């Protein structure tokens, strides 16, 4: 609704009419409710701010409550008017303009219009903020206030700690600031927290604006909301972790009988020895027992059980969130053999462990690598147990940049069509009901996440899988 300011402020009309520049006041619908004498002389028919400014400038005024825009002076192509308009708390828009001589460059107006249009497009498409050299926010667009749920007044003068979610370590932001302080562009994914406490993800590009000495005087941050994509990614990762753990439990279930057998033998030996000791105590001839000769056997049996249980627990636990650490690949295989050797013996498969005595180190998660080793050994057993004199050989290799493990068996290789699909989820060559079809797919993913590769060696005479890892940087650890 239009309001007559001259009735409310009698002195305003007279003062504005004596200024050597145009002055207007517009309502919240952009209709001009007051214009001084200079404006009426320049724009006889103009009734709205929308007739005065380019559409992009009007949109910026509506979104941000202020705008500076260059417009052609009516009837004078060599001169332009620089308009400054802003919204006051009373809801009205106030504007003044001054003349700018553009006779030296007739393209200036076109350039300014193009820049205004580009800024409008950017504000509509992205979340934009500008800070000074110290990180204090000097400008935010409408999309920034919408996603953060803070008003423009709450954000201006603050730094970006106001939306810090605490998700990233301090080192993350130290590296960010080191980069942009050098005048270099930084880009990456950032998790922020809105005013209501909810988290959102943005892909952020920060562009430093530098002076003649290449010192940043302000930073422009352009962001894209990627929250839905991150949520979908997290869901996929969660489902993959569940599938990985389910496959691990399925493998453990298949080995359960073997594990019980491996524990049963030393337990039976210890029980027999304890019965002998109890009988000797009852008969009063304990001193006749050769404790010194039998005690090492007892300790060995107990150590055997400890290794089996420790290896089984390491294998069974969910290690997907464990930190990466230096892992000795020979030690991983030995741990696996502690609780899977029964399956080998039951199937009549001989395993040649050429990793004994080697010191091949990679950065990884032991429980996940154990799962891969178990899967490859189990697959080989299933494939060759009916062949004459079945065998599996595990050996290591290394070069300047890589270490690796080779799993071979007496099979005569895989057909090309099987090699092309061997790592696909749910693909299997086993009979129906035997296996999940996920083992090799999950193993391939685990090795990839370790920065390595799991492939079929099609050039080998026998069925061969190669696992390759990058060598850890720096001095090797003792493992």
């Amino acid at each position: 609704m239009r309001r007559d300011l001259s009735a409310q402020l009698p002195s305003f009309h007279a003062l504005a009419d004596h200024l050597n520049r145009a002055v207007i006041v517009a309502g919240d619908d952009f209709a001009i409710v007051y214009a001084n004498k200079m404006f009426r002389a320049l724009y006889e028919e103009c009734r709205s701010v929308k007739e005065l400014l380019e559409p992009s400038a009007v949109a910026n005024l509506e979104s941000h409550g202020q705008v500076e825009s260059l417009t052609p002076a009516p009837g004078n192509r060599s001169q332009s008017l620089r308009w400054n308009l802003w919204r006051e708390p009373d809801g009205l828009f106030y504007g003044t303009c001054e003349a700018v001589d553009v006779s030296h460059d007739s393209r200036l107006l076109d350039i300014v219009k193009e820049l205004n249009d580009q800024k409008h497009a950017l504000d509509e498409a992205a979340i934009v903020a500008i800070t000074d050299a110290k990180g204090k926010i000097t400008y935010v667009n409408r999309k920034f206030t919408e996603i953060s749920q803070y008003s423009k007044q709450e954000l201006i003068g603050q730094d970006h700690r106001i939306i810090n979610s605490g998700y990233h370590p301090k080192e993350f932001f130290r590296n960010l600031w080191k980069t942009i302080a050098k005048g270099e562009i930084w880009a990456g994914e950032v998790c922020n927290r809105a005013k209501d406490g909810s988290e959102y993800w943005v892909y952020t590009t920060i562009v430093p604006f530098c002076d003649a000495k290449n010192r940043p005087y302000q930073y422009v941050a352009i962001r894209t909301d990627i929250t839905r994509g991150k949520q979908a990614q997290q869901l996929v990762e969660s489902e993959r972790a569940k599938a990985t753990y389910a496959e691990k439990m399925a493998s453990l279930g298949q080995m359960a009988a073997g594990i019980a057998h491996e524990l049963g033998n030393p337990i039976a030996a210890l029980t027999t020895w304890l019965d002998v000791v109890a009988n000797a105590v009852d008969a009063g001839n304990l001193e006749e027992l050769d404790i010194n000769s039998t005690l090492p056997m007892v300790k060995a049996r107990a150590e055997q059980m400890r290794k089996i249980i420790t290896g089984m627990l390491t294998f069974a636990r969910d290690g997907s969130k464990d930190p990466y650490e230096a892992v000795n690949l020979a030690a991983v295989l030995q741990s696996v053999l502690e609780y899977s050797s029964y399956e080998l013996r039951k199937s009549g498969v001989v395993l040649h462990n050429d990793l004994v005595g080697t010191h091949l180190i990679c950065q990884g998660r032991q429980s996940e690598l154990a799962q891969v080793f178990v899967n490859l050994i189990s697959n080989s057993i299933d494939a060759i147990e009916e062949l004459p004199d079945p065998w599996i050989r595990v050996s290591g290799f290394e070069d300047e940049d890589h270490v690796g493990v080779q799993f071979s068996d007496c099979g005569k290789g895989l057909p090309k069509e099987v090699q092309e699909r061997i790592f696909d989820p749910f693909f299997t060559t086993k009979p129906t009901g035997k296996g999940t079809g996920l083992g090799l797919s999950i193993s391939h993913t685990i090795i990839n996440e370790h920065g390595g590769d799991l492939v079929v060696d099609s050039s080998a005479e026998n069925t061969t899988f190669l696992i390759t890892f990058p060598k850890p940087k720096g001095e090797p650890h003792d493992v």
Side-chain angles (χ1 to χ4, degrees):
M1 184 177 68
R2 299 188 180 185
R3 284 182 266 183
D4 187 356
L5 288 186
S6 60
Q8 299 177 37
L9 302 172
S11 61
F12 180 81
H13 191 154
L15 177 62
D17 276 344
H18 283 83
L19 293 177
N20 190 28
R21 61 177 61 193
V23 176
I24 60 169
V25 179
D28 54 12
D29 58 354
F30 294 110
I32 296 173
V33 297
Y34 169 77
N36 73 343
K37 186 183 297 184
M38 175 71 76
F39 182 89
R40 294 195 300 273
L42 288 170
Y43 301 95
E44 295 180 1
E45 303 297 327
C46 184
R47 298 291 182 267
S48 170
V49 172
K50 293 182 179 180
E51 301 172 28
L52 185 67
L53 305 179
E54 295 287 343
S56 59
V58 174
N60 284 330
L61 178 60
E62 186 173 23
S63 299
H64 313 308
Q66 63 182 42
V67 73
E68 181 176 310
S69 180
L70 207 61
T71 64
N76 188 350
R77 180 64 181 172
S78 66
Q79 201 171 57
S80 293
L81 301 176
R82 180 182 290 117
W83 277 98
N84 284 281
L85 293 99
W86 65 95
R87 182 192 289 118
E88 288 290 341
D90 61 7
L92 297 174
F93 292 100
Y94 293 75
T96 66
C97 75
E98 58 181 343
V100 178
D101 184 6
V102 294
S103 58
H104 62 286
D105 188 351
S106 60
R107 293 188 65 250
L108 181 58
L109 281 176
D110 294 334
I111 293 172
V112 171
K113 179 182 182 303
E114 183 179 353
L115 290 174
N116 281 334
D117 289 343
Q118 290 175 356
K119 181 179 182 300
H120 174 60
L122 181 63
D123 278 335
E124 289 302 311
I127 303 159
V128 182
I130 300 175
T131 72
D132 62 19
K134 294 182 178 179
K136 296 295 183 183
I137 298 171
T138 59
Y139 168 82
V140 292
N141 71 346
R142 173 178 50 82
K143 284 187 172 292
F144 193 110
T145 61
E146 288 175 352
I147 196 168
S148 71
Q149 301 174 19
Y150 287 99
S151 68
K152 179 181 174 182
Q153 290 73 21
E154 290 174 306
L155 292 165
I156 299 299
Q158 299 288 332
D159 58 35
H160 278 80
R161 281 178 290 190
I162 192 173
I163 54 172
N164 189 336
S165 67
Y167 178 88
H168 304 281
K170 291 182 179 179
E171 187 65 21
F172 176 87
F173 292 106
R174 277 198 291 266
N175 290 335
L176 183 158
W177 271 102
K178 283 180 182 178
T179 300
I180 63 176
K182 292 186 294 185
E184 299 175 1
I185 295 173
W186 183 91
E189 296 179 352
V190 182
C191 179
N192 290 329
R193 177 173 285 119
K195 188 175 182 179
D196 68 354
S198 61
E199 292 183 349
Y200 62 94
W201 282 85
V202 288
Y203 185 82
T204 302
T205 301
I206 302 177
V207 182
F209 282 31
C210 300
D211 59 21
K213 296 182 178 180
N214 201 38
R215 293 178 303 194
Y217 62 87
Q218 72 175 14
Y219 302 103
V220 177
I222 302 169
R223 300 174 173 91
T224 304
D225 183 5
I226 59 170
T227 305
R228 288 186 179 179
K230 292 294 289 187
Q231 290 172 341
Q233 177 185 340
Q234 290 166 357
L235 179 61
V236 169
E237 290 174 352
S238 173
E239 292 302 314
R240 188 190 69 78
K242 291 177 183 178
T244 300
Y245 194 66
E247 171 66 19
K248 182 182 289 189
M249 292 300 100
S251 297
L252 194 60
Q254 291 174 356
M255 295 186 294
I259 293 169
H261 184 273
E262 293 298 300
L263 289 173
N265 284 340
I267 288 174
L270 290 176
T271 301
T272 299
W273 186 78
L274 289 172
D275 287 341
V276 171
V277 172
N279 291 334
V281 171
D282 291 342
N285 58 358
L286 185 61
E287 67 279 356
E288 295 181 8
L289 288 178
D290 189 359
I291 298 294
N292 290 333
S293 64
T294 56
L295 193 57
M297 179 275 294
V298 173
K299 291 178 66 176
R301 295 292 188 179
E303 178 63 14
Q304 181 185 358
M305 290 191 295
R306 185 194 68 79
K307 287 181 177 179
I308 292 172
I309 293 171
T310 300
M312 183 180 62
L313 290 174
T314 299
F315 177 80
R317 64 183 296 274
D318 179 11
S320 61
K321 296 294 190 294
D322 290 352
Y324 282 74
E325 59 185 2
V327 176
N328 187 324
L329 296 173
V332 175
L333 180 62
Q334 188 58 45
S335 172
V336 167
L337 294 179
E338 294 290 349
Y339 52 84
S340 62
S341 57
Y342 174 77
E343 292 297 316
L344 291 163
R345 293 197 304 273
K346 184 183 74 170
S347 303
V349 177
V350 177
L351 187 140
H352 303 282
N353 182 6
D354 294 343
L355 285 182
V356 174
T358 63
H359 196 69
L360 302 174
I361 306 299
C362 75
Q363 286 292 119
R365 299 180 176 126
Q366 181 162 334
S367 64
E368 291 190 334
L369 295 180
Q371 182 173 357
V372 174
F373 286 13
V374 165
N375 181 260
L376 292 173
I377 292 172
S378 297
N379 285 348
S380 285
I381 292 174
D382 291 341
I384 67 174
E385 60 181 339
E386 300 298 331
L387 298 179
D389 303 320
W391 55 264
I392 298 172
R393 183 176 297 278
V394 185
S395 56
F397 58 89
E398 68 176 315
D399 58 29
E400 185 176 348
D401 300 314
H402 302 88
V403 297
V405 182
Q406 176 177 297
F407 285 80
S408 301
D409 61 44
C410 60
K412 296 306 178 182
L414 300 172
K416 184 177 180 181
E417 60 271 18
V418 173
Q419 292 185 35
E420 290 173 349
R421 299 188 58 197
I422 196 68
F423 299 114
D424 291 351
F426 304 109
F427 176 79
T428 181
T429 58
K430 298 178 182 180
T432 302
K434 190 170 185 180
T436 63
L438 289 172
L440 281 174
S441 174
I442 289 172
S443 295
H444 191 261
T445 299
I446 289 173
I447 298 302
N448 283 345
E449 289 180 346
H450 280 68
D453 201 7
L454 170 59
V455 298
V456 178
D457 184 0
S458 57
S459 66
E461 181 180 351
N462 297 104
T463 305
T464 301
F465 286 84
L466 299 176
I467 305 176
T468 307
F469 302 97
K471 272 187 176 178
K473 295 180 180 179
E475 293 297 319
H477 294 74
D478 292 329
V479 179

